[in-house]
Amino acid sequence: MSAPMQAPILTVTLNPALDLSTATEEVRPELKLRCDKPEVDPGGGGINVSRAIKHMGGQSTAMVALGGATGTRIADMLKSDGLSVVRLTAPGETRQSLAVTDRSTGGQYRFVLPGPEWHKAHVADMTQAIAEAARAGGWVVVSGSNPPGVPAGFEQMLTVRLKNSGAKLLVDTSGEALRVLAGSSTPVDVLRMDSHEAEDLAGRPLPTREDSAGFAAGLVKDGAARSVIVARGADGSVIAGPDGAWHAAAARVKVVSAVGAGDSFVAGFVLAMARDWPVPEALALGAAAASAAVMTPATDLCRAEDVDRFYGERVITQL
C-alpha cells in the first residue's frame, strides 16, 4: 500500500542534547553514587517530533544545530534511526543532559546543561538556512528551548522570512520566547502551549475547556497566531482558530512517563495537517499520539498501533 500524500515537514532543533538516563540506589550528597549503565538518546523538541512522525509512518526532515564530538554522536544516532537530517553548525559543543532515578523513592532528578552561546551572525545564518530548507512549502516546526543568545523574537523573524515560501510555522516553545510570541502582532500559523503556560500568560486559572478555548481565541484575536492550541494534560487539548474552537479528548491510560507527550502531540497534529486533514481531526490525531506517548518510558515516544487505536476511539467536541 502506498503512503498517504503529505506536504513537506521540516523540524528545527536549535538546542539539542545528548540525553543520558540512569539510576542509583539513593541520591545523597557528598558520596560517589554508583549508577547503572546509562541509556543514551538524542534529545530536543524537533528531534522528538521527527522521530514520532516516523513512528506514525510519516516523513520529515530534521534540521539540527550540532557541534563538537557530542554533536557528531547525535548526528550518527539520528541517521541510524533512519531520519533525514540537515546538519547546521552550532557555535560550540552540543550540550548533554542527565536524568538519574533514585530507586529508594522512585523520584527522578534531571540535570539540564546550557547549550553553546549564539551570536547575531549565527542567528542570521540559521534563519537563512531554515528559510532555504522551507522553500518547498509545507510545514516548519520550531520546538523546544532556544539556545543562549538567540533572541526571544526569533520566531517572528522566521515568520517574516517564511512569507515568500508559503510554508506554515508551528511553534511549541516556553518561557520568554512564548511571552514575546503571545504579545506579538506578527502571527505564527499555530502556537502550542500547556495549561500551566496558558494560565501564567492569562494571569488566572483556566479550569474548564471553555476557559482554555476562550483564552486561546483571545490570542488569535490579538494577532499572536492564526490558531492556538492549549494542552490540558489528561483532559486532552483544545484549539481555537478560523474553524472555531474544538476539544479532542485524551485516552484514559496509565501514565508511565509524560516526557515526550507534547512532542508526540505536535507530530500527530502536524502530520495530519500536512496530509490536509480537517483541523478537528488533526487535533484528535495529536491527542491520540500524546496519549500513546505517556504509556511508554521517557525516550520511547508513541507507538503507531496505540496511536491508531486511540484515534479510532476519538471524541471531538465543538466548543
Side-chain angles (χ1 to χ4, degrees):
M1 198 173 96
S2 64
M5 291 285 288
Q6 73 153 84
I9 300 171
L10 178 74
T11 67
V12 179
T13 311
L14 301 181
N15 207 15
L18 190 70
D19 290 339
L20 307 173
S21 310
T22 186
T24 189
E25 275 315 312
E26 189 182 0
V27 176
R28 289 170 60 194
E30 313 294 339
L31 301 178
K32 282 185 180 175
L33 305 175
R34 305 291 175 188
C35 296
D36 297 347
K37 184 180 176 187
E39 285 201 16
V40 184
D41 291 281
I47 287 172
N48 289 338
V49 172
S50 274
R51 287 170 67 206
I53 286 171
K54 188 168 194 300
H55 289 192
M56 287 183 263
Q59 301 284 327
S60 71
T61 299
M63 179 177 267
V64 190
L66 297 167
T70 307
T72 299
R73 191 172 176 192
I74 287 179
D76 291 344
M77 292 168 88
L78 295 177
K79 288 197 175 108
S80 69
D81 278 350
L83 292 183
S84 166
V85 179
V86 173
R87 182 172 178 172
L88 297 177
T89 303
E93 182 85 22
T94 295
R95 65 189 178 141
Q96 299 190 10
S97 76
L98 175 65
V100 182
T101 299
D102 179 330
R103 275 194 290 265
S104 68
T105 64
Q108 189 185 61
Y109 296 80
R110 298 172 72 191
F111 304 90
V112 181
L113 301 176
E117 180 90 25
W118 289 61
H119 300 290
K120 267 187 180 166
H122 300 129
V123 176
D125 290 349
M126 177 240 315
T127 309
Q128 173 75 15
I130 296 169
E132 280 178 14
R135 273 193 306 218
W139 283 85
V140 176
V141 177
V142 175
S143 178
S145 61
N146 287 337
V150 171
F154 160 70
E155 287 81 6
Q156 282 93 337
M157 288 158 43
L158 191 54
T159 301
V160 173
R161 288 300 299 272
L162 291 175
K163 260 195 179 136
N164 298 332
S165 69
K168 293 186 164 73
L169 179 63
L170 185 157
V171 179
D172 183 7
T173 190
S174 57
E176 187 57 26
L178 178 59
R179 278 191 287 279
V180 169
L181 274 171
S184 163
S185 53
T186 306
V188 299
D189 291 283
V190 180
L191 178 61
R192 181 192 174 274
M193 65 193 77
D194 65 28
S195 274
H196 301 299
E197 290 161 343
E199 290 179 340
D200 190 42
L201 287 173
R204 64 181 187 276
L206 301 168
T208 70
R209 297 165 185 179
E210 288 76 15
D211 292 327
S212 295
F215 170 71
L219 288 179
V220 172
K221 185 165 173 283
D222 292 344
R226 291 184 175 85
S227 296
V228 173
I229 296 170
V230 178
R232 293 181 50 83
D235 188 42
S237 288
V238 301
I239 188 167
D243 302 300
W246 298 84
H247 172 265
R252 298 193 172 192
V253 297
K254 181 173 187 286
V255 176
V256 175
S257 166
V259 177
D263 295 328
S264 292
F265 173 94
V266 169
F269 178 84
V270 79
L271 179 58
M273 294 301 286
R275 288 175 173 168
D276 216 15
W277 291 16
V279 167
E281 298 295 329
L283 189 72
L285 188 65
S291 297
V294 301
M295 294 167 60
T296 64
T299 54
D300 286 2
L301 301 170
C302 55
R303 288 188 287 253
E305 59 271 25
D306 295 327
V307 178
D308 289 347
R309 178 161 51 94
F310 296 146
Y311 178 69
E313 299 163 355
R314 65 195 177 280
V315 179
I316 308 168
T317 313
Q318 186 159 18
L319 299 174

